[in-house]
């Protein structure tokens, strides 16, 4: 049923999936309505006991524009006997394909439907999306608020956002900030870095817990030398060759290569395919290497903090302990409990052995002095 309703009789939908409305585009819509009138009615449903007799299902931008233009009445399609869930689905359907609906708003809308019992397959079918699209959007909901805001602002692209969402909150911030400040040459590099961080989190055999054997070290050394030798030859020969060929005119190459031209086109095509594959692998390796470096730097900072805490909690006169008499050899033993209480339990084992080694030497020296005196 269509009707002209008073704008004051219509309330916005508090469950509206779209939260952000671009001011510039809203102003543009206002000018269009001002010049041509409202060409598409809004959609509402009647409610009882609400702040207004009707609540919006679709068309909030049009309703906002007409309201700010000072219009008293707005054309509307009134849908009766509609459940809140059906109304919400219609609201999503109106907004999900719009450019100005943010990706996080879309993800939140799908999450609401999933909470209501909808499967990703059903959601995808309802809105003409693939199941993968829905799953990836739902995966973004694990982003910490600061990173989600970067995604909404367009600072982080959708695919990279999904890779970042797989990380712990702390590493999400690391990957996001490094990308935003321009540490990577491409989005793919940033994805590989995020994947490297994920591997570090799940302890996926980047390095063994034990140091490699002598045989393993020799194998790595030989593999490194071989790879460097082959890549060096490729750099010397292939780059020079392609630079020379790239500087030729097509008509000259047609004459120079003659009947072999077709074969060389296929050969270069194979080389190109392999180069792309190798470049992708090297980029992934680079991401892992950067993640390992970040993990190492993080561990180094933690060690420095532990050392600083140990220095702050070290009792006065501790440096003089080795010079005390052998009758007080048991004194260093309480050092570990005191360090643990101060939050530096990891440092205690290093402190105690150092004192134990120093004391026997001191005690022996004192016994020698005593014997000499007799």
């Amino acid at each position: 049923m269509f009707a002209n309703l008073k704008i004051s009789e219509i309330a916005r939908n508090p469950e509206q999936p779209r939260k952000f409305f671009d001011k510039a585009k809203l102003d543009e819509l206002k000018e269009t309505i001002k010049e041509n009138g409202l060409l598409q009615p809004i959609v509402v449903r009647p409610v009882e006991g609400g702040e207004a007799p009707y609540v919006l299902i679709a068309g909030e931008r049009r309703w906002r524009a007409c309201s700010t233009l000072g219009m008293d009445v707005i054309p509307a399609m009134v849908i009766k006997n509609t459940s809140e869930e059906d109304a919400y689905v219609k609201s999503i359907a109106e907004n999900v394909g719009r450019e100005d609906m943010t990706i996080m708003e879309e993800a939140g809308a799908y999450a609401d439907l999933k909470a209501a019992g909808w499967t990703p397959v059903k959601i995808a079918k309802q809105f003409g999306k693939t199941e993968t699209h829905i799953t990836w959007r739902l995966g973004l909901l694990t982003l910490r608020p600061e990173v989600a805001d970067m995604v909404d602002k367009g600072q982080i692209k959708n695919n990279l956002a999904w890779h970042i969402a797989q990380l712990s909150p702390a590493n999400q911030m690391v990957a996001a900030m490094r990308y935003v400040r321009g540490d990577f040459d491409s989005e793919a590099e940033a994805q590989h870095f995020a994947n490297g961080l994920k591997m570090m989190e799940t302890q996926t055999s980047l390095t063994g817990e034990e140091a490699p054997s002598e045989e393993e070290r020799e194998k790595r050394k030989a593999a490194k030398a071989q790879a460097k030798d082959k890549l060096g030859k490729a750099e010397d020969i292939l780059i020079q060759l392609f630079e020379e060929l790239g500087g030729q005119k097509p008509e000259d190459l047609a004459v120079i290569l003659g009947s072999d031209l077709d074969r060389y086109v296929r050969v270069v095509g194979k080389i190109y395919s392999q180069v792309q594959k190798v470049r992708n692998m090297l980029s992934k390796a680079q991401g892992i290497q950067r993640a390992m470096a970040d993990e190492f730097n993080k561990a180094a900072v933690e060690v420095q903090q532990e050392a600083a805490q140990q220095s702050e909690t070290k009792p006065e006169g501790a440096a003089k302990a080795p010079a005390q008499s052998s009758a007080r050899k048991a004194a260093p033993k309480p050092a570990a409990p005191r360090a643990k209480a101060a939050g530096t339990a990891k440092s205690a084992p290093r402190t105690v052995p150092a004192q134990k080694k120093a004391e026997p030497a001191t005690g022996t020296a004192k016994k020698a002095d005593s014997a000499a005196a007799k």
Side-chain angles (χ1 to χ4, degrees):
M1 180 183 79
F2 288 92
N4 288 322
L5 303 177
K6 291 182 178 180
I7 289 181
S8 59
E9 295 179 329
I10 304 168
R12 70 176 300 275
N13 181 6
E15 303 300 326
Q16 158 73 275
R18 204 162 107 207
K19 310 300 180 186
F20 173 75
F21 294 87
D22 186 273
K23 186 178 182 304
K25 291 185 178 180
L26 191 60
D27 289 340
E28 184 180 333
L29 178 61
K30 283 166 53 179
E31 290 301 314
T32 301
I33 294 175
K34 188 176 180 180
E35 291 295 324
N36 305 294
L38 184 61
L39 303 178
Q40 182 181 1
I42 62 173
V43 183
V44 301
R45 67 184 180 94
V47 291
E48 294 183 4
E51 60 181 271
Y54 301 92
V55 66
L56 277 165
I57 293 178
E60 183 169 339
R61 287 177 70 250
R62 283 164 275 157
W63 175 77
R64 284 174 178 247
C66 291
S67 180
T68 54
L69 284 171
M71 295 172 58
D72 295 323
V73 176
I74 187 171
M77 181 171 70
V78 181
I79 299 180
K80 298 180 179 180
N81 302 321
T82 300
S83 67
E84 290 189 6
E85 182 175 306
D86 289 339
Y88 188 65
V89 170
K90 288 182 173 64
S91 181
I92 297 173
E94 190 213 16
N95 289 296
V96 78
R98 294 182 182 274
E99 291 183 2
D100 51 356
M101 184 182 193
T102 71
I103 185 174
M104 297 308 299
E105 289 173 343
E106 184 185 354
Y110 296 150
D112 288 341
L113 291 177
K114 187 178 179 183
W118 288 50
T119 64
V121 174
K122 183 179 178 181
I123 297 172
K125 185 177 179 180
Q126 180 71 36
F127 301 108
K129 306 292 184 180
T130 65
E131 184 181 355
T132 300
H133 177 93
I134 303 301
T135 302
W136 275 54
R137 289 296 185 269
L138 291 172
L140 297 177
L141 296 175
T142 58
L143 287 171
R144 57 187 293 163
E146 304 94 327
V147 180
D149 189 52
M150 294 178 194
V151 176
D152 265 347
K153 290 178 179 177
Q155 295 174 321
I156 298 175
K157 295 181 180 179
N158 300 352
N159 286 341
L160 175 57
W162 185 88
H163 287 276
I164 293 176
Q166 310 311 304
L167 301 173
S168 66
N171 277 336
Q172 284 182 20
M173 208 65 197
V174 171
M177 289 307 299
R178 287 198 60 173
Y179 177 73
V180 169
R181 74 186 185 190
D183 285 0
F184 307 106
D185 293 335
S186 66
E187 184 181 354
E189 278 192 18
Q191 287 181 14
H192 294 156
F193 174 70
N195 292 338
L197 290 176
K198 183 63 179 177
M199 292 176 71
M200 295 299 294
E201 288 179 358
T202 55
Q203 299 294 309
T204 309
S205 298
L206 290 178
T207 56
E209 292 184 1
E210 298 181 358
S213 64
E214 184 64 29
E215 182 182 357
E216 183 62 28
R217 282 197 294 268
E218 288 300 320
K219 285 182 179 179
R220 292 182 185 179
K221 185 177 179 181
K224 180 179 180 180
Q226 187 178 37
K228 287 178 68 176
D229 181 58
K230 290 181 177 180
L231 287 172
K233 288 178 179 178
E235 185 177 6
D236 293 339
I237 298 172
L238 290 179
I239 292 179
Q240 182 179 353
L241 171 62
F242 289 142
E243 284 178 348
E244 291 177 359
L245 290 174
Q248 298 282 347
K249 294 179 180 179
E251 54 268 29
D252 292 338
L253 288 174
V255 175
I256 294 171
L257 299 177
S259 60
D260 290 326
L261 182 57
D262 288 344
R263 182 167 68 89
Y264 287 127
V265 168
R266 290 194 298 272
V267 169
V268 172
K270 289 181 180 179
I271 293 174
Y272 176 77
S273 177
Q274 290 300 315
V275 167
Q276 289 290 94
K277 182 179 178 180
V278 172
R279 187 187 187 285
N280 186 50
M281 292 296 293
L282 291 176
S283 182
K284 289 180 178 179
Q286 188 180 48
I288 293 172
Q289 188 181 69
R290 286 170 170 170
M292 292 174 70
D294 270 28
E295 193 71 14
F296 179 83
N297 291 337
K298 189 194 303 180
V301 170
E302 289 175 357
V303 169
Q304 291 174 351
Q305 290 174 341
E306 287 178 6
Q309 290 174 354
Q310 181 187 8
S311 177
E312 290 174 0
T313 57
K314 190 173 183 181
E316 291 185 8
K320 298 179 181 179
Q324 294 173 355
S325 67
S326 59
R328 301 184 62 184
K329 286 182 182 179
K333 291 183 179 179
R338 285 200 299 271
K340 185 175 182 180
T344 55
K346 293 181 180 179
S347 302
R350 291 196 294 272
T351 304
V352 175
Q355 292 173 338
K356 284 183 177 179
K357 287 179 182 179
E359 285 173 358
T362 304
T364 302
K366 291 202 171 199
K367 286 180 182 178
D369 291 343
S370 177
K374 290 179 181 179

